[in-house]
Amino acid sequence: MSGDQYDRYDNTGGYGNTFYVPPMPAAPPPAPADGVRAVAAAVLNLSGLGLGYALMRRWALTALCWIATAVLLFVALPADPDGVPAFAIVLYVAFLVAVAAHAARLGLRTPLAGLRQAPLALGLGLLLLVVPAGGAVLYDDARDEATQQMLLDRLDEADRLVQAAGEKDFSTAQADYRKALGAYADLRADHPGSRAAERVPARMKTFYTTVGATFEQGNYCQAIEPLTYLRTVPKSLPDTDLAELKSWPDDRLATSLYECASTALTAGGDTWAAQFGKLLTTFPESEQAAKAEPAVAAAVARTEKGLRGAEPCSAVERLRTLGSQIVAVPSERAEVGAALDKDARRADASADNGTYACGVDQYRDGDFESAQTTMTKWASDHKAAKSAALAKKIAIAAEIAQTVPAAGKTLPTTRQGGSISVTVQNDSPDEITVLYTGPVTGSFTLKGCGSCKAYSMIRTITRGFEPCSDSSKNYPERTISLPVGTTYFLHKPMNDSLSSPASDTAKLESGYIYTECAYTTQSLGSTS
């Protein structure tokens, strides 16, 4: 036999020539193993597009790669500041490694359609790796931009807080201010290179002017608290260059403290001392601090004028209050402190001296109980004063007027003596004080009558009753000289044992000798 031809025996008894065609294989024979092709298939799959599978016509596996990549894109986009969840990245990378390994195994003996040269396919695969790498870079950029936008949103939210807080009272808005300031501080500290952080210094100008708006409106008392708060802001923003904003509140706060304190001082309020104290200790060298003590001195002088006005008692009380308030004002400067001490002493002295005028005013206003108390104390404290004697007389008249109001119609004088003799006798067992006022005012005491007793109330209303008429008794007595006119007498025991003192009104005329008799009555267990 030669070639593909051979002799075949024919059962008919002869030989003949015929050809043999072998059967076709069921599948193409596997390609020779090619390591470069295997690597190319693996690298092509690493792009995430399943190109290794596509060149091997494994369409189902190619679609699987597309689905996995689409799922990743769905999870990752749009870019979020937090990035893609770690578990998603781990799963996707594991998937790429798996399909790359699988493609390498298949590509070892499977030819690549369209790219039969393995080196060319490998080069394309390496080139296509730029796609996921570039996508990662672009995603990082998008993520950074998303982060920037998130931080800008935080900045805008803080700005809105400040704007809304500016429409409220500071006490109500303070929490919002603190929250906004915290947001600004976090941007500067945690994200110093962000666009939002770079805008914080400009925002702080708005923050300061909004918080301190009450000062610009002239509401100095209301401006003190927010301006004080603004002086603490630099501590909350250590990483922010606030420049002139650091000292922005100082002069405004000093002005607010002075103006608010001055207003309260003039109006008679009680907050000015603390405000002047804060001014003198916080800004001792300021222009406003230099005006504080003169304002206090002027207030004392202004109040002193009230001692000669219609309400001297109010002026006395105000001066006393001023004295105690001035003492409480602290100062960093010794000379200012000395001047304030002098003002306090002056206020106390003027109040003390004005007490006499207050007592006179109380007497004239019919407040006899207060007048008695005021004048008694003043006379005791100022025994050497020229008006001490008259103060005692006013106290006497005020005491009588509490029982006999008519006795207080005129102010007593220092006049003494008169042409009419009046003898006062004591027909009671108690030592008594005799007070009298009228043209002449005075007092004296009479010892108790040892043989005398209190009269019953029935006895005193019996016809013919005459006290001090028993010639066998030695009544303690005293004779005084009084002028013509009405004199009011008041008899009271020295031990204040009577429920009410006895009184008598005598209209004295020339040519008569008058006798006053003091006695005690007793009824139902009480004496008078």
Side-chain angles (χ1 to χ4, degrees), residues 263-490:
T263 301
L265 183 60
T266 301
D270 56 2
T271 59
W272 68 268
Q275 292 161 354
F276 268 162
K278 185 174 181 180
L279 173 63
L280 293 171
T281 53
T282 308
F283 309 104
E285 303 299 329
S286 66
E287 187 179 309
Q288 296 87 341
K291 299 187 294 183
E293 187 280 327
V296 173
V300 173
R302 186 169 55 249
T303 307
E304 287 175 333
K305 294 180 181 179
L307 297 175
R308 300 183 294 275
E311 298 292 338
C313 292
S314 297
V316 168
E317 187 62 29
R318 176 64 180 145
L319 285 167
R320 285 175 178 157
T321 301
L322 273 175
S324 61
Q325 289 174 331
I326 295 171
V327 170
V329 177
S331 174
E332 290 292 316
R333 298 175 58 182
E335 64 273 20
V336 176
L340 288 171
D341 288 341
K342 182 179 179 181
D343 294 334
R345 291 193 298 270
R346 175 181 172 182
D348 291 339
S350 296
D352 187 51
N353 293 332
T355 302
Y356 178 85
C358 173
V360 171
D361 186 66
Q362 289 170 334
Y363 185 91
R364 287 174 171 165
D365 288 345
D367 187 1
F368 299 119
E369 183 177 0
S370 297
Q372 178 190 355
T373 301
T374 300
M375 285 309 201
T376 299
K377 186 177 186 307
W378 195 90
S380 175
D381 295 341
H382 303 80
K383 295 178 181 179
K386 293 181 179 180
S387 53
L390 182 55
K392 292 180 180 179
K393 292 181 180 293
I394 294 175
I396 292 171
E399 186 173 1
I400 297 172
Q402 292 176 57
T403 302
V404 187
K409 289 183 178 180
T410 59
L411 192 70
T413 66
T414 56
R415 179 179 177 182
Q416 296 181 354
S419 59
I420 301 176
S421 294
V422 177
T423 299
V424 181
Q425 295 177 325
N426 186 12
D427 188 4
S428 76
D430 301 308
E431 184 178 13
I432 64 170
T433 297
V434 179
L435 310 175
Y436 59 92
T437 187
V440 171
T441 301
S443 67
F444 57 88
T445 61
L446 289 176
K447 293 181 179 181
C449 175
S451 58
C452 299
K453 296 181 180 179
Y455 294 99
S456 66
M457 183 64 71
I458 297 176
R459 173 73 183 278
T460 60
I461 60 176
T462 301
R463 179 178 294 182
F465 170 71
E466 291 185 12
C468 299
S469 60
D470 189 344
S471 58
S472 64
K473 295 181 180 180
N474 185 19
Y475 300 110
E477 62 178 43
R478 181 169 176 176
T479 300
I480 57 177
S481 297
L482 299 176
V484 173
T486 302
T487 297
Y488 303 92
F489 290 90
L490 187 72

Side-chain angles (χ1 to χ4, degrees), residues 8-16:
R8 181 180 179 186
Y9 174 76
D10 189 350
N11 59 6
T12 60
Y15 290 90

Side-chain angles (χ1 to χ4, degrees), residues 212-280:
T214 47
F215 175 83
E216 303 300 333
Q217 297 166 2
N219 299 325
Y220 299 114
C221 293
Q222 296 180 22
I224 292 175
E225 186 178 3
L227 289 172
T228 300
Y229 164 72
L230 284 176
R231 297 185 77 234
T232 68
V233 168
K235 298 178 182 178
S236 301
L237 294 171
D239 300 320
T240 303
D241 182 12
L242 295 176
E244 71 277 2
L245 288 178
K246 288 184 177 181
S247 59
W248 187 89
D250 293 352
D251 185 69
R252 291 170 172 80
L253 178 56
T255 298
S256 298
L257 288 169
Y258 175 77
E259 294 294 340
C260 185
S262 297
T263 301
L265 183 60
T266 301
D270 56 2
T271 59
W272 68 268
Q275 292 161 354
F276 268 162
K278 185 174 181 180
L279 173 63
L280 293 171

